[in-house]
Coordinates of all heavy atoms in Angstrom, one line a residue:
M27 N 5.6 -5.3 -35.6 CA 5.0 -5.5 -34.3 C 5.0 -4.2 -33.5 O 6.0 -3.5 -33.5 CB 5.8 -6.6 -33.5 CG 5.3 -6.8 -32.2 SD 6.3 -8.2 -31.4 CE 5.4 -8.3 -29.9
V28 N 3.9 -3.8 -32.9 CA 3.8 -2.6 -32.2 C 4.3 -2.9 -30.7 O 3.7 -3.8 -30.1 CB 2.4 -2.0 -32.2 CG1 2.3 -0.8 -31.4 CG2 2.0 -1.7 -33.6
W29 N 5.1 -2.1 -30.2 CA 5.7 -2.3 -28.8 C 5.0 -1.2 -28.0 O 5.6 -0.2 -27.7 CB 7.2 -2.2 -28.8 CG 7.7 -2.7 -27.4 CD1 7.1 -3.3 -26.5 CD2 9.1 -2.6 -27.0 NE1 8.0 -3.6 -25.5 CE2 9.2 -3.2 -25.8 CE3 10.2 -2.1 -27.7 CZ2 10.4 -3.2 -25.1 CZ3 11.4 -2.1 -26.9 CH2 11.5 -2.7 -25.7
T30 N 3.8 -1.5 -27.4 CA 3.1 -0.5 -26.6 C 3.8 -0.1 -25.4 O 3.6 1.0 -24.8 CB 1.6 -0.9 -26.4 OG1 1.7 -2.3 -25.7 CG2 0.8 -1.0 -27.6
A31 N 4.6 -1.0 -24.8 CA 5.3 -0.7 -23.6 C 6.2 0.6 -23.7 O 6.4 1.4 -22.9 CB 6.1 -1.9 -23.1
V32 N 6.8 0.7 -25.0 CA 7.6 1.8 -25.3 C 6.7 3.1 -25.3 O 7.1 4.2 -24.8 CB 8.4 1.6 -26.6 CG1 9.1 2.9 -27.1 CG2 9.5 0.5 -26.4
A33 N 5.6 3.0 -26.0 CA 4.8 4.2 -26.0 C 4.3 4.7 -24.7 O 4.2 5.9 -24.5 CB 3.5 3.8 -26.8
S34 N 4.2 3.8 -23.7 CA 4.0 4.3 -22.3 C 5.1 4.9 -21.6 O 5.0 5.4 -20.5 CB 3.5 3.0 -21.5 OG 2.2 2.6 -21.9
R35 N 6.3 5.0 -22.3 CA 7.4 5.6 -21.8 C 7.9 6.7 -22.8 O 9.1 7.1 -22.8 CB 8.6 4.7 -21.5 CG 8.3 3.8 -20.3 CD 9.4 2.7 -20.3 NE 9.1 1.8 -19.1 CZ 9.9 1.7 -18.1 NH1 11.0 2.5 -18.0 NH2 9.6 0.9 -17.1
D36 N 6.9 7.3 -23.5 CA 7.2 8.3 -24.5 C 7.5 9.7 -23.8 O 6.6 10.3 -23.2 CB 6.0 8.4 -25.4 CG 6.3 9.3 -26.6 OD1 7.3 10.1 -26.5 OD2 5.5 9.3 -27.6
P37 N 8.7 10.2 -23.9 CA 9.0 11.5 -23.3 C 8.1 12.7 -23.9 O 8.0 13.7 -23.2 CB 10.5 11.7 -23.6 CG 10.8 10.8 -24.7 CD 9.8 9.7 -24.7
R38 N 7.5 12.5 -25.0 CA 6.6 13.5 -25.6 C 5.3 13.5 -24.8 O 4.5 14.4 -24.9 CB 6.4 13.4 -27.1 CG 7.7 13.6 -27.8 CD 7.6 13.1 -29.3 NE 7.2 11.7 -29.3 CZ 7.1 11.0 -30.4 NH1 7.2 11.5 -31.6 NH2 6.8 9.7 -30.3
Q39 N 5.0 12.3 -24.2 CA 3.8 12.2 -23.5 C 3.9 12.4 -22.0 O 3.0 12.9 -21.4 CB 3.4 10.7 -23.8 CG 1.9 10.4 -23.9 CD 1.0 11.4 -24.6 OE1 0.2 12.0 -24.0 NE2 1.1 11.5 -25.9
F40 N 5.0 12.0 -21.4 CA 5.2 12.1 -20.0 C 6.4 12.9 -19.6 O 7.6 12.7 -20.2 CB 5.3 10.6 -19.5 CG 4.2 9.7 -19.8 CD1 4.4 8.7 -20.8 CD2 3.0 9.8 -19.2 CE1 3.4 7.9 -21.2 CE2 2.0 9.0 -19.6 CZ 2.2 8.0 -20.6
D41 N 6.4 13.7 -18.5 CA 7.5 14.4 -18.1 C 8.6 13.7 -17.6 O 9.8 13.9 -18.0 CB 7.0 15.4 -16.9 CG 6.2 16.5 -17.4 OD1 6.2 16.8 -18.6 OD2 5.4 17.1 -16.6
A42 N 8.4 12.6 -16.8 CA 9.5 11.7 -16.3 C 9.0 10.3 -16.7 O 8.6 9.5 -15.8 CB 9.6 11.9 -14.8
P43 N 9.2 9.9 -18.0 CA 8.6 8.6 -18.5 C 9.2 7.4 -17.8 O 8.5 6.4 -17.8 CB 9.0 8.6 -20.0 CG 10.1 9.6 -20.1 CD 10.0 10.6 -19.1
H44 N 10.4 7.4 -17.3 CA 10.9 6.3 -16.6 C 10.7 6.2 -15.1 O 11.3 5.3 -14.4 CB 12.4 6.1 -17.0 CG 12.7 6.1 -18.5 ND1 12.0 5.1 -19.3 CD2 13.3 6.9 -19.3 CE1 12.3 5.3 -20.6 NE2 13.1 6.4 -20.6
T45 N 10.0 7.2 -14.6 CA 9.8 7.3 -13.1 C 8.5 6.6 -12.8 O 7.5 7.0 -13.4 CB 9.9 8.7 -12.7 OG1 11.1 9.3 -13.0 CG2 9.7 8.8 -11.2
F46 N 8.5 5.8 -11.8 CA 7.2 5.2 -11.3 C 6.6 6.3 -10.4 O 7.1 6.5 -9.3 CB 7.4 3.9 -10.6 CG 6.1 3.4 -9.9 CD1 5.1 2.9 -10.7 CD2 5.9 3.4 -8.6 CE1 3.8 2.5 -10.1 CE2 4.8 3.0 -7.9 CZ 3.7 2.5 -8.8
D47 N 5.5 7.0 -10.9 CA 4.9 8.0 -10.1 C 3.4 7.7 -9.9 O 2.6 7.9 -10.9 CB 5.1 9.3 -10.9 CG 4.3 10.5 -10.2 OD1 3.8 10.3 -9.1 OD2 4.4 11.6 -10.7
I48 N 3.1 7.1 -8.8 CA 1.7 6.6 -8.6 C 0.7 7.8 -8.5 O -0.4 7.6 -8.7 CB 1.7 5.8 -7.2 CG1 0.6 4.9 -7.3 CG2 1.7 6.7 -6.0 CD1 0.7 3.7 -6.2
D49 N 1.2 9.0 -8.4 CA 0.3 10.2 -8.4 C 0.2 10.9 -9.7 O -0.3 12.0 -9.8 CB 0.8 11.2 -7.3 CG 0.6 10.6 -5.9 OD1 -0.4 9.9 -5.6 OD2 1.5 10.8 -5.0
R50 N 0.8 10.3 -10.8 CA 0.8 11.0 -12.0 C -0.5 11.4 -12.5 O -1.5 10.5 -12.5 CB 1.5 10.1 -13.1 CG 1.7 10.8 -14.4 CD 2.2 9.8 -15.5 NE 3.7 9.7 -15.2 CZ 4.4 8.7 -15.7 NH1 3.9 7.7 -16.3 NH2 5.7 8.6 -15.5
A51 N -0.8 12.7 -12.8 CA -2.1 13.1 -13.1 C -2.4 12.8 -14.7 O -3.3 12.1 -15.0 CB -2.2 14.6 -12.9
A52 N -1.5 13.4 -15.5 CA -1.8 13.2 -17.0 C -1.1 11.8 -17.3 O 0.1 11.7 -17.3 CB -1.1 14.3 -17.7
N53 N -2.0 10.8 -17.5 CA -1.5 9.4 -17.6 C -2.0 8.6 -18.7 O -2.7 7.6 -18.5 CB -1.8 8.7 -16.2 CG -0.9 7.5 -16.1 OD1 0.1 7.2 -16.9 ND2 -1.2 6.6 -15.2
A54 N -1.7 9.1 -19.9 CA -2.3 8.4 -21.1 C -1.5 7.3 -21.6 O -1.0 7.2 -22.7 CB -2.4 9.5 -22.3
H55 N -1.4 6.3 -20.7 CA -0.6 5.1 -21.0 C -1.4 4.1 -21.8 O -2.6 4.3 -22.1 CB -0.1 4.4 -19.7 CG -1.3 3.8 -18.9 ND1 -1.9 2.7 -19.3 CD2 -2.0 4.4 -17.8 CE1 -2.9 2.4 -18.4 NE2 -2.9 3.4 -17.5
L56 N -0.7 3.1 -22.4 CA -1.3 2.1 -23.3 C -1.3 0.7 -22.7 O -1.4 -0.2 -23.4 CB -0.6 2.2 -24.6 CG -0.7 3.4 -25.4 CD1 0.1 3.3 -26.7 CD2 -2.1 3.8 -25.7
A57 N -1.2 0.7 -21.3 CA -1.1 -0.7 -20.7 C -2.3 -1.6 -21.1 O -2.2 -2.8 -21.2 CB -1.0 -0.5 -19.2
F58 N -3.5 -0.9 -21.2 CA -4.7 -1.7 -21.6 C -5.1 -1.6 -23.1 O -6.3 -1.9 -23.5 CB -5.9 -1.4 -20.7 CG -5.7 -1.8 -19.3 CD1 -5.4 -0.8 -18.3 CD2 -5.7 -3.1 -18.9 CE1 -5.3 -1.2 -17.0 CE2 -5.5 -3.5 -17.6 CZ -5.3 -2.6 -16.6
G59 N -4.1 -1.1 -23.9 CA -4.5 -0.8 -25.3 C -5.2 0.4 -25.5 O -5.3 1.3 -24.6
R60 N -5.9 0.5 -26.7 CA -6.7 1.7 -27.0 C -7.6 1.4 -28.1 O -7.4 0.5 -28.9 CB -5.6 2.8 -27.4 CG -6.2 4.2 -27.6 CD -5.2 5.1 -28.2 NE -5.8 6.4 -28.4 CZ -5.6 7.5 -27.7 NH1 -4.8 7.4 -26.7 NH2 -6.2 8.6 -28.0
G61 N -8.7 2.1 -28.1 CA -9.6 2.1 -29.3 C -10.6 0.9 -29.2 O -10.9 0.4 -28.1
A62 N -10.9 0.3 -30.4 CA -11.9 -0.7 -30.5 C -11.6 -2.0 -29.6 O -12.4 -2.6 -29.2 CB -12.1 -1.1 -31.9
H63 N -10.2 -2.2 -29.6 CA -9.8 -3.5 -28.9 C -9.3 -3.2 -27.4 O -8.5 -4.0 -26.9 CB -8.8 -4.2 -29.7 CG -9.4 -4.8 -30.9 ND1 -10.2 -5.9 -30.9 CD2 -9.5 -4.3 -32.2 CE1 -10.7 -6.1 -32.2 NE2 -10.3 -5.2 -32.9
F64 N -9.6 -2.0 -26.9 CA -9.3 -1.7 -25.5 C -9.6 -2.9 -24.6 O -10.7 -3.5 -24.8 CB -10.0 -0.5 -25.0 CG -9.5 0.0 -23.6 CD1 -8.3 0.7 -23.5 CD2 -10.3 -0.4 -22.5 CE1 -8.0 1.1 -22.2 CE2 -10.0 0.0 -21.3 CZ -8.8 0.7 -21.1
C65 N -8.8 -3.2 -23.7 CA -9.0 -4.4 -22.8 C -10.3 -4.4 -22.2 O -10.7 -3.5 -21.4 CB -7.9 -4.4 -21.8 SG -8.0 -5.7 -20.5
M66 N -11.0 -5.5 -22.4 CA -12.3 -5.7 -21.8 C -12.3 -6.0 -20.3 O -13.2 -5.7 -19.6 CB -13.1 -6.9 -22.5 CG -13.5 -6.5 -23.9 SD -14.2 -8.0 -24.7 CE -15.9 -7.9 -24.2
G67 N -11.1 -6.5 -19.8 CA -11.0 -6.8 -18.4 C -10.3 -5.7 -17.6 O -10.1 -5.9 -16.4
A68 N -10.1 -4.6 -18.2 CA -9.4 -3.4 -17.5 C -10.1 -3.1 -16.2 O -9.3 -3.1 -15.1 CB -9.3 -2.2 -18.4
P69 N -11.4 -2.9 -16.1 CA -12.0 -2.6 -14.7 C -11.8 -3.7 -13.8 O -11.4 -3.4 -12.6 CB -13.5 -2.5 -15.1 CG -13.5 -2.1 -16.5 CD -12.4 -2.9 -17.1
L70 N -11.8 -5.0 -14.2 CA -11.6 -6.1 -13.3 C -10.2 -6.1 -12.9 O -9.8 -6.3 -11.7 CB -12.0 -7.4 -13.9 CG -11.7 -8.7 -13.1 CD1 -12.5 -8.8 -11.9 CD2 -12.0 -10.0 -14.0
A71 N -9.2 -5.9 -13.8 CA -7.8 -5.9 -13.4 C -7.4 -4.8 -12.5 O -6.7 -5.0 -11.5 CB -7.0 -5.8 -14.7
R72 N -8.1 -3.6 -12.6 CA -7.8 -2.5 -11.8 C -8.4 -2.9 -10.4 O -7.7 -2.6 -9.3 CB -8.4 -1.2 -12.3 CG -7.6 -0.7 -13.5 CD -8.2 0.6 -14.0 NE -7.2 1.3 -14.8 CZ -7.4 1.8 -16.0 NH1 -8.6 1.6 -16.6 NH2 -6.5 2.4 -16.6
L73 N -9.5 -3.4 -10.3 CA -10.2 -3.8 -9.0 C -9.3 -4.8 -8.3 O -9.0 -4.7 -7.1 CB -11.6 -4.4 -9.3 CG -12.4 -4.8 -8.0 CD1 -12.6 -3.6 -7.1 CD2 -13.7 -5.4 -8.4
E74 N -8.9 -5.8 -9.0 CA -8.1 -6.9 -8.4 C -6.8 -6.3 -7.9 O -6.3 -6.7 -6.8 CB -7.8 -8.0 -9.5 CG -8.9 -8.9 -9.8 CD -8.6 -9.9 -10.8 OE1 -7.7 -9.7 -11.7 OE2 -9.3 -10.9 -10.9
G75 N -6.2 -5.4 -8.7 CA -4.9 -4.8 -8.3 C -5.1 -4.0 -7.0 O -4.3 -4.1 -6.0
R76 N -6.2 -3.2 -7.0 CA -6.4 -2.4 -5.7 C -6.6 -3.2 -4.5 O -6.1 -3.0 -3.4 CB -7.6 -1.5 -6.1 CG -7.8 -0.4 -5.0 CD -8.7 0.8 -5.5 NE -9.9 0.4 -6.1 CZ -10.3 0.6 -7.4 NH1 -9.4 1.2 -8.2 NH2 -11.4 0.2 -7.9
L77 N -7.5 -4.3 -4.7 CA -7.7 -5.2 -3.6 C -6.4 -5.9 -3.1 O -6.2 -5.9 -1.9 CB -8.8 -6.2 -4.0 CG -10.2 -5.7 -4.1 CD1 -11.1 -6.9 -4.7 CD2 -10.8 -5.3 -2.8
A78 N -5.7 -6.4 -4.0 CA -4.5 -7.1 -3.7 C -3.5 -6.3 -2.9 O -2.9 -6.6 -1.9 CB -3.9 -7.8 -4.9
L79 N -3.3 -5.0 -3.5 CA -2.3 -4.2 -2.9 C -2.8 -3.7 -1.5 O -1.9 -3.5 -0.6 CB -2.0 -3.0 -3.8 CG -1.2 -3.3 -5.1 CD1 -1.1 -2.1 -6.0 CD2 0.2 -3.9 -4.7
N80 N -4.1 -3.4 -1.3 CA -4.6 -3.0 0.0 C -4.4 -4.1 1.0 O -3.9 -3.8 2.1 CB -6.1 -2.7 -0.1 CG -6.4 -1.3 -0.6 OD1 -5.5 -0.4 -0.3 ND2 -7.5 -1.0 -1.2
I81 N -4.7 -5.3 0.6 CA -4.5 -6.4 1.6 C -3.0 -6.6 1.9 O -2.6 -6.8 3.1 CB -5.0 -7.8 0.9 CG1 -6.6 -7.7 0.8 CG2 -4.6 -9.0 1.8 CD1 -7.2 -8.8 0.0
L82 N -2.1 -6.5 0.8 CA -0.7 -6.6 1.1 C -0.2 -5.5 2.0 O 0.5 -5.9 3.0 CB 0.0 -6.6 -0.3 CG 1.5 -6.9 -0.3 CD1 1.7 -8.3 0.0 CD2 2.1 -6.5 -1.6
F83 N -0.5 -4.3 1.8 CA -0.1 -3.2 2.7 C -0.7 -3.2 4.0 O -0.1 -2.7 5.0 CB -0.2 -1.8 1.9 CG 0.8 -1.8 0.7 CD1 0.3 -1.4 -0.5 CD2 2.1 -1.9 0.9 CE1 1.1 -1.4 -1.6 CE2 3.0 -1.9 -0.2 CZ 2.5 -1.5 -1.4
D84 N -1.9 -3.7 4.1 CA -2.5 -3.9 5.5 C -1.8 -4.9 6.3 O -1.5 -4.7 7.5 CB -4.0 -4.4 5.4 CG -5.0 -3.2 5.0 OD1 -4.5 -2.1 5.1 OD2 -6.1 -3.5 4.7
R85 N -1.4 -5.9 5.6 CA -0.6 -7.0 6.3 C 0.8 -6.7 6.6 O 1.4 -7.0 7.6 CB -0.7 -8.3 5.5 CG -0.4 -9.5 6.2 CD -0.9 -10.8 5.5 NE -2.3 -10.8 5.3 CZ -2.9 -11.8 4.6 NH1 -2.3 -12.7 4.0 NH2 -4.3 -11.7 4.5
Y86 N 1.5 -5.9 5.7 CA 2.9 -5.5 5.8 C 2.9 -4.0 5.7 O 3.4 -3.5 4.7 CB 3.7 -6.3 4.8 CG 3.7 -7.7 4.8 CD1 2.9 -8.4 3.9 CD2 4.4 -8.5 5.8 CE1 2.8 -9.8 4.0 CE2 4.3 -9.8 5.9 CZ 3.6 -10.5 5.0 OH 3.5 -11.9 5.0
P87 N 2.6 -3.3 6.7 CA 2.6 -1.8 6.6 C 4.0 -1.2 6.2 O 4.1 -0.1 5.7 CB 2.1 -1.3 7.9 CG 1.8 -2.5 8.7 CD 2.2 -3.7 8.0
G88 N 5.0 -1.8 6.7 CA 6.4 -1.3 6.4 C 7.0 -1.9 5.1 O 8.2 -1.8 5.0
L89 N 6.2 -2.5 4.3 CA 6.8 -3.1 3.1 C 7.5 -2.1 2.2 O 7.0 -1.1 1.9 CB 5.7 -3.8 2.3 CG 6.1 -4.9 1.2 CD1 6.7 -6.0 1.9 CD2 4.9 -5.2 0.4
R90 N 8.8 -2.5 1.8 CA 9.5 -1.6 1.0 C 10.6 -2.5 0.2 O 10.9 -3.6 0.6 CB 10.2 -0.5 1.8 CG 11.2 -1.1 2.8 CD 11.5 -0.1 3.9 NE 12.4 -0.5 4.8 CZ 12.2 -1.5 5.8 NH1 11.1 -2.1 5.9 NH2 13.2 -1.8 6.6
R91 N 11.1 -1.9 -0.9 CA 12.1 -2.6 -1.6 C 13.5 -2.6 -0.9 O 13.8 -1.6 -0.2 CB 12.4 -1.9 -3.0 CG 13.3 -2.5 -3.9 CD 13.3 -1.9 -5.2 NE 14.1 -0.6 -5.3 CZ 15.4 -0.6 -5.4 NH1 16.0 -1.7 -5.4 NH2 16.0 0.5 -5.4
D92 N 14.2 -3.7 -1.0 CA 15.5 -3.8 -0.3 C 16.5 -2.9 -1.1 O 16.8 -3.2 -2.3 CB 15.9 -5.3 -0.4 CG 17.3 -5.5 0.3 OD1 18.0 -4.5 0.5 OD2 17.6 -6.7 0.6
P93 N 17.0 -1.8 -0.5 CA 17.8 -1.0 -1.3 C 19.2 -1.5 -1.7 O 19.8 -1.0 -2.6 CB 18.0 0.3 -0.3 CG 17.7 -0.3 1.0 CD 16.8 -1.4 0.9
D94 N 19.5 -2.6 -1.1 CA 20.8 -3.3 -1.4 C 20.8 -4.3 -2.5 O 21.8 -4.8 -2.9 CB 21.4 -3.9 -0.1 CG 21.7 -3.0 1.0 OD1 22.0 -1.8 0.7 OD2 21.4 -3.3 2.2
R95 N 19.6 -4.6 -2.9 CA 19.4 -5.6 -4.0 C 18.5 -5.1 -5.1 O 17.4 -4.9 -4.9 CB 18.8 -6.9 -3.4 CG 19.6 -7.5 -2.3 CD 19.1 -8.7 -1.6 NE 19.3 -9.8 -2.4 CZ 18.8 -11.0 -2.1 NH1 18.2 -11.3 -1.0 NH2 19.1 -12.1 -2.8
E96 N 19.2 -4.8 -6.3 CA 18.5 -4.2 -7.4 C 17.5 -5.3 -7.9 O 17.7 -6.4 -8.0 CB 19.4 -3.9 -8.5 CG 20.3 -2.7 -8.2 CD 19.4 -1.4 -8.0 OE1 18.6 -1.2 -8.9 OE2 19.7 -0.7 -7.1
P97 N 16.3 -4.8 -8.4 CA 15.3 -5.7 -9.0 C 16.0 -6.2 -10.3 O 16.7 -5.5 -11.0 CB 14.1 -4.8 -9.3 CG 14.5 -3.4 -9.0 CD 15.8 -3.4 -8.3
V98 N 15.5 -7.4 -10.7 CA 16.0 -8.0 -12.0 C 14.7 -7.9 -12.9 O 13.7 -8.5 -12.6 CB 16.5 -9.4 -11.9 CG1 16.8 -10.0 -13.2 CG2 17.7 -9.4 -10.9
F99 N 14.8 -7.3 -14.1 CA 13.7 -7.2 -15.0 C 13.7 -8.3 -16.0 O 14.7 -8.8 -16.4 CB 13.7 -5.9 -15.7 CG 13.3 -4.8 -14.7 CD1 14.3 -4.1 -14.0 CD2 11.9 -4.4 -14.6 CE1 13.9 -3.1 -13.1 CE2 11.6 -3.4 -13.7 CZ 12.5 -2.7 -12.9
M100 N 12.5 -8.7 -16.4 CA 12.4 -9.8 -17.5 C 13.0 -9.3 -18.7 O 12.8 -8.2 -19.2 CB 10.9 -10.2 -17.6 CG 10.3 -10.8 -16.4 SD 8.6 -11.5 -16.7 CE 7.7 -10.1 -17.2
P101 N 13.7 -10.2 -19.5 CA 14.3 -9.8 -20.7 C 13.4 -9.6 -21.9 O 13.8 -9.0 -22.9 CB 15.3 -10.9 -20.9 CG 14.8 -12.1 -20.3 CD 13.9 -11.6 -19.1
G102 N 12.2 -10.1 -21.8 CA 11.3 -10.2 -23.0 C 11.0 -8.7 -23.5 O 11.0 -7.7 -22.8
A103 N 10.7 -8.6 -24.8 CA 10.4 -7.3 -25.4 C 8.9 -6.9 -25.3 O 8.6 -5.8 -25.4 CB 10.8 -7.3 -26.8
N104 N 8.0 -7.9 -25.1 CA 6.6 -7.6 -25.1 C 6.0 -7.4 -23.8 O 5.4 -6.4 -23.4 CB 5.9 -8.7 -25.8 CG 4.6 -8.1 -26.5 OD1 4.4 -6.9 -26.5 ND2 3.8 -9.0 -26.9
V105 N 6.2 -8.5 -22.9 CA 5.6 -8.4 -21.5 C 6.6 -7.9 -20.6 O 7.8 -8.3 -20.6 CB 5.1 -9.7 -21.1 CG1 4.6 -9.7 -19.6 CG2 4.0 -10.3 -22.0
M106 N 6.4 -6.8 -19.9 CA 7.3 -6.2 -19.0 C 7.0 -6.6 -17.5 O 5.8 -6.6 -17.1 CB 7.4 -4.8 -19.2 CG 7.9 -4.3 -20.6 SD 8.1 -2.6 -20.8 CE 9.7 -2.4 -20.0
G107 N 8.0 -6.7 -16.7 CA 7.8 -7.1 -15.3 C 9.1 -7.4 -14.7 O 10.2 -7.4 -15.4
V108 N 9.1 -7.7 -13.4 CA 10.2 -8.1 -12.7 C 10.4 -9.6 -12.5 O 9.4 -10.3 -12.3 CB 10.4 -7.4 -11.2 CG1 10.8 -6.1 -11.3 CG2 9.1 -7.7 -10.5
E109 N 11.6 -10.1 -12.7 CA 11.9 -11.5 -12.5 C 12.1 -11.8 -11.0 O 11.7 -12.8 -10.5 CB 13.2 -11.8 -13.3 CG 13.2 -13.3 -13.8 CD 14.3 -13.4 -14.9 OE1 15.5 -13.3 -14.6 OE2 13.9 -13.5 -16.1
S110 N 12.7 -10.8 -10.4 CA 12.9 -10.9 -8.9 C 12.9 -9.5 -8.4 O 13.5 -8.6 -8.9 CB 14.2 -11.6 -8.6 OG 15.3 -10.9 -9.0
L111 N 12.3 -9.3 -7.2 CA 12.1 -8.1 -6.5 C 12.2 -8.4 -5.0 O 11.3 -9.0 -4.4 CB 10.8 -7.4 -6.9 CG 10.4 -6.2 -6.1 CD1 11.4 -5.1 -6.5 CD2 9.0 -5.7 -6.5
H112 N 13.4 -8.0 -4.4 CA 13.6 -8.3 -3.0 C 13.0 -7.2 -2.1 O 13.2 -6.0 -2.3 CB 15.1 -8.4 -2.7 CG 15.6 -9.6 -3.5 ND1 15.6 -10.9 -2.9 CD2 16.2 -9.7 -4.7 CE1 16.1 -11.8 -3.8 NE2 16.5 -11.1 -4.9
L113 N 12.1 -7.7 -1.2 CA 11.4 -6.7 -0.3 C 11.9 -7.0 1.2 O 12.3 -8.0 1.6 CB 9.9 -7.0 -0.4 CG 9.3 -6.9 -1.9 CD1 7.9 -7.4 -1.9 CD2 9.5 -5.5 -2.4
L114 N 11.6 -5.8 1.9 CA 11.8 -5.9 3.4 C 10.5 -5.7 4.0 O 9.7 -4.8 3.5 CB 12.8 -4.9 3.8 CG 14.3 -4.9 3.1 CD1 15.1 -3.8 3.6 CD2 15.0 -6.2 3.6
T115 N 10.3 -6.3 5.1 CA 9.0 -6.1 5.8 C 9.2 -5.4 7.1 O 8.4 -5.0 7.8 CB 8.3 -7.4 6.1 OG1 9.1 -8.3 6.9 CG2 7.8 -8.1 4.8
Ligands
HEM18 C1 -3.1 -6.1 -15.7 C2 -3.9 -6.9 -16.4 C3 -4.2 -6.7 -17.9 C4 -3.6 -6.0 -18.8 C5 -2.2 -5.3 -18.7 C6 -4.3 -6.3 -20.1 C7 -3.9 -5.7 -21.3 C8 -4.6 -5.8 -22.5 C9 -4.2 -5.1 -23.8 C10 -3.0 -4.3 -24.0 C11 -5.2 -5.5 -24.6 C12 -5.3 -4.9 -26.1 C13 -4.7 -5.9 -27.0 C14 -4.7 -5.4 -28.4 O1 -5.0 -4.2 -28.7 O2 -4.6 -6.2 -29.4 C15 -6.2 -6.3 -24.0 C16 -7.3 -6.8 -24.5 C17 -8.1 -7.7 -23.9 N1 -8.2 -8.0 -22.6 FE1 -6.8 -7.5 -21.2 N2 -5.4 -7.0 -19.8 C18 -5.4 -7.3 -18.5 C19 -6.4 -8.0 -17.9 C20 -7.5 -8.6 -18.5 C21 -8.5 -9.4 -17.8 C22 -8.5 -9.6 -16.3 C23 -9.3 -9.8 -18.7 C24 -10.6 -10.6 -18.6 C25 -11.2 -11.0 -17.5 C26 -8.9 -9.3 -20.0 C27 -9.6 -9.4 -21.2 C28 -9.3 -8.9 -22.4 C29 -10.0 -9.1 -23.7 C30 -11.2 -9.9 -23.8 C31 -9.3 -8.3 -24.6 C32 -9.7 -8.3 -26.1 C33 -10.5 -7.0 -26.4 C34 -10.9 -6.9 -27.8 O3 -10.0 -7.3 -28.7 O4 -11.9 -6.2 -28.1 N3 -7.8 -8.5 -19.8 N4 -5.8 -6.5 -22.7

């Protein structure tokens, strides 16, 4: 089984592979796959993400992570994400 999430954290590919850097310029990640089976929904997913985050930050301009409560990540090996993420408004 190919674990593409690990490839997206490859230190040979990224300077700070474990840092969330929204301004990262060289960003050859594999979140949407690659090649012939590259995700057909990638443009839609990106548009939805942009719209959702814009609405969220318009509504809660001071939104930030609660520094006193660490996020809990999902234990699965394939799909990555947070199980809980405590925010402050
Ligand atoms: C953040 C959201 C999404 C992520 C991270 C994602 C990720 C991926 C990945 C990694 C693949 C490649 C799988 C492989 O190589 O076997 C893929 C394929 C695919 N995705 Fe997505 N996807 C997302 C959203 C969507 C949406 C919204 C749609 C449709 C509306 C979609 C439709 C497809 C289809 C049809 C394929 C198969 C393409 C093919 O095999 O030629 N995806 N996706």
Side-chain angles (χ1 to χ4, degrees):
M27 182 176 181
V28 177
W29 192 11
T30 51
V32 168
S34 292
R35 288 172 181 247
D36 185 348
R38 291 168 302 182
Q39 212 40 250
F40 306 105
D41 287 341
H44 302 300
T45 302
F46 174 69
D47 177 4
I48 203 163
D49 293 318
R50 183 183 283 158
N53 195 15
H55 65 78
L56 295 178
F58 291 111
R60 191 185 172 106
H63 293 281
F64 183 79
C65 176
M66 289 174 87
L70 176 63
R72 287 184 161 126
L73 178 65
E74 287 176 336
R76 193 158 50 242
L77 288 173
L79 290 173
N80 275 334
I81 291 168
L82 188 68
F83 291 125
D84 281 350
R85 199 164 295 173
Y86 301 102
L89 195 66
R90 63 205 182 281
R91 186 172 77 77
D92 183 345
D94 298 327
R95 302 176 79 177
E96 286 298 311
V98 177
F99 287 88
M100 296 191 297
N104 204 15
V105 176
M106 299 185 79
V108 283
E109 210 162 70
S110 67
L111 175 66
H112 295 274
L113 302 173
L114 302 173
T115 55

